[in-house]
Amino acid sequence: MKRYDLIIVGAGPSGLSAAIEAAKRGIEVIVFDENEKPGGQLFKQIHKFFGSKEHRAKVRGFVIGEQLLEEADKLGVKVELNSTVIGLYQDKEVVVKKDDKVTHYKADAIIIATGAAENMVTFPGWTLPGVIGAGAAQTMMNLHGVKPGKKILMLGSGNVGLVVSFQLMQCGCDVVALVDAAPRVGGYGVHAAKVARTGVPFYLSHTIVKAEGEECVTGVTIAEVDSSFKFIEGTEKHFDVDTICLAVGLSPMSQLLKMAGCKMEDNPKRGGQVPICDEHGSTSIPGIFVAGDVSGIEEASSAMIEGRMAGITAAEFLGYIQKDEMGTELENLDKALDGLRQGMFAPSNRGKLIEKTDEGIEVSESLLKKGYVSDDEIERFPGVTHKKGIHPVIECTQNIPCNPCQDACVKKCISIGSNITSLPIVVEDGDCINCGMCVASCSGQAIFLVDEDCGDGTATVTLPYEFLPLPSEGDKGIALGRDGKKVCEATVVSVKSAKAFDKTHLLTMRVPKEYAMKARFYKEAE
């Protein structure tokens, strides 16, 4: 039987973060993961993360994965892939199946970072080929370069459904609709807005009646539901699709902890069956710790901090650091994690209808019900300003933990202040130099550079653009509004790409000046 100081189950963001913190302190660490590649969900996440610098904000998920793997490798962390942990026992014995071989390991401490699994919903036809989880679609696209389908309907308006819908369009799929039984959008408004302005319609208070097809999906019927989630007769809508993506939540993969005898609870706010643990990952069994989604569903940024906490706590348990050192380290991490758990989407606000921002501004009803802020609502938010010449327009309308725009502007034209969840404002005497760094750095693609009057009856709008092929200077197309509908004709002035923009291209289009504050996406003329 092989023995290690510390065994970690799961090589995702929390598991790797825990391994790094433990290895820094001289602990011999081995990480087991059932997949053929380490990094968990990170390598499927091509979007930029929210948060601040300490949370790796504005860095794309797969790049964060590369950074963690490199750091773990330099510290001598051993990662065993294609290794499924099939048993965890009370005396900290771990049973691992790799290929056709079963091996027993012992450790003085164990960290479980197994993450979560996708939920499914059932409806007539749900077993047809073409009905897949949104995570599976992400794996196909971003790991294997395979289009999940041509015409796709997305069920679920949480962050996963919104992010994957956008990525499906980036890889050339046609997302025909985004559907959710809930009466309001569940994910970040900025994620919903960037999907809506491409023309994808949102159907809230709707769900799937049936998937159609004999051997595979050929269509889908949805219908509106009442407050009891029962179908309303006569509201059926049909779509010709070849793929149905399901983004209906995640459930913690906590089976190993239950097997080991850890005290468990059913906690809907944390995603289901989870271990009872303290704020730093200690379970009811001394020496067994948890980190990431296995202890409660949150974002990957939170999982990484929880992993670091678990690694440090395990180091103290094993005697590699003193309690006072652990206390100092955990105090700093507590502050970082607390920052991510503030604002409208804080865990304490799950299930609540937030009607006003922290600043006392009424939340956009249109955003919650249709996925976009309407033209008559947008002016109420502090980032939406009017100035002579080129200036930033920030359409960030919810209190979410994010501040890269503040750091990106060298002229300090944008301010969020010390509270990471405050709505960004455009500084009155700021002198915008049209560098575009704020546009490229915004993780929610919610910042635009606008010249409302170029002096010739036109205006220019610079927007973030992450679709290929890139338009060229002089191309003529159409400008879409926040609702994804045509507002006017548009001409491409320029498309800028730079290493500092990190694959977010800056497309500047010229439109009639009366549409300067309405035109928010460019589409090639058909």
Side-chain angles (χ1 to χ4, degrees), residues 148-154 168 173-177 241-243 245:
K150 294 179 180 179
K151 298 186 74 174
I152 300 174
L153 180 136
M154 176 65 71
L168 285 165
C173 302
D174 177 15
V175 179
V176 301
V241 299
D242 55 31
T243 307
C245 270

Side-chain angles (χ1 to χ4, degrees), residues 358-372:
D358 292 347
E359 294 81 3
I361 303 168
E362 288 186 14
V363 172
S364 164
E365 279 292 311
S366 177
L367 179 65
L368 296 178
K369 294 180 179 179
K370 300 177 183 179
Y372 61 89

Side-chain angles (χ1 to χ4, degrees), residues 333 374 382:
L333 291 173
S374 63

Side-chain angles (χ1 to χ4, degrees), residues 245-437:
C245 270
L246 306 180
V248 290
L250 302 169
S251 294
M253 297 179 66
S254 57
Q255 296 90 336
L256 289 174
L257 294 157
K258 189 172 183 179
M259 181 185 295
C262 295
K263 291 181 180 178
M264 310 289 289
E265 67 173 351
D266 284 311
N267 190 328
K269 288 191 174 182
R270 292 168 63 191
Q273 182 88 174
V274 292
I276 296 174
C277 59
D278 69 13
E279 66 272 25
H280 301 131
S282 297
T283 69
S284 59
I285 298 179
I288 296 182
F289 307 90
V290 291
D293 283 350
V294 72
S295 62
I297 308 300
E298 289 191 77
E299 299 295 320
S301 299
S302 300
M304 287 187 285
I305 296 175
E306 289 178 353
R308 294 178 63 190
M309 287 177 167
I312 291 168
T313 306
E316 191 279 330
F317 175 81
L318 294 170
Y320 282 81
I321 59 173
Q322 300 298 316
K323 276 192 179 294
D324 56 348
E325 181 184 348
M326 177 185 72
T328 301
E329 294 275 1
L330 292 179
E331 184 178 352
N332 293 331
L333 291 173
D334 280 334
K335 291 178 181 177
L337 187 57
D338 186 60
L340 291 174
R341 289 175 170 170
Q342 300 301 313
M344 295 179 177
F345 294 87
S348 59
N349 285 332
R350 283 178 185 162
K352 296 180 181 178
L353 175 60
I354 307 298
E355 297 182 340
K356 290 188 177 182
T357 69
D358 292 347
E359 294 81 3
I361 303 168
E362 288 186 14
V363 172
S364 164
E365 279 292 311
S366 177
L367 179 65
L368 296 178
K369 294 180 179 179
K370 300 177 183 179
Y372 61 89
V373 182
S374 63
D375 292 341
D376 61 347
E377 293 173 321
I378 197 67
E379 296 284 343
R380 72 175 67 147
F381 297 98
V384 180
T385 56
H386 301 274
K387 284 187 172 186
K388 193 172 183 179
I390 296 173
H391 61 93
V393 174
I394 310 173
E395 300 190 357
C396 185
T397 65
Q398 294 176 324
N399 300 117
I400 56 177
C402 198
N403 67 5
C405 57
Q406 178 175 263
D407 295 332
C409 184
V410 294
K411 289 295 185 176
K412 306 301 180 186
C413 297
I414 299 173
S415 176
I416 289 176
S418 58
N419 187 347
I420 193 174
T421 61
S422 295
L423 294 178
I425 63 169
V426 177
V427 178
E428 190 171 339
D429 57 353
D431 182 21
C432 178
I433 58 173
N434 193 26
C435 69
M437 285 304 299

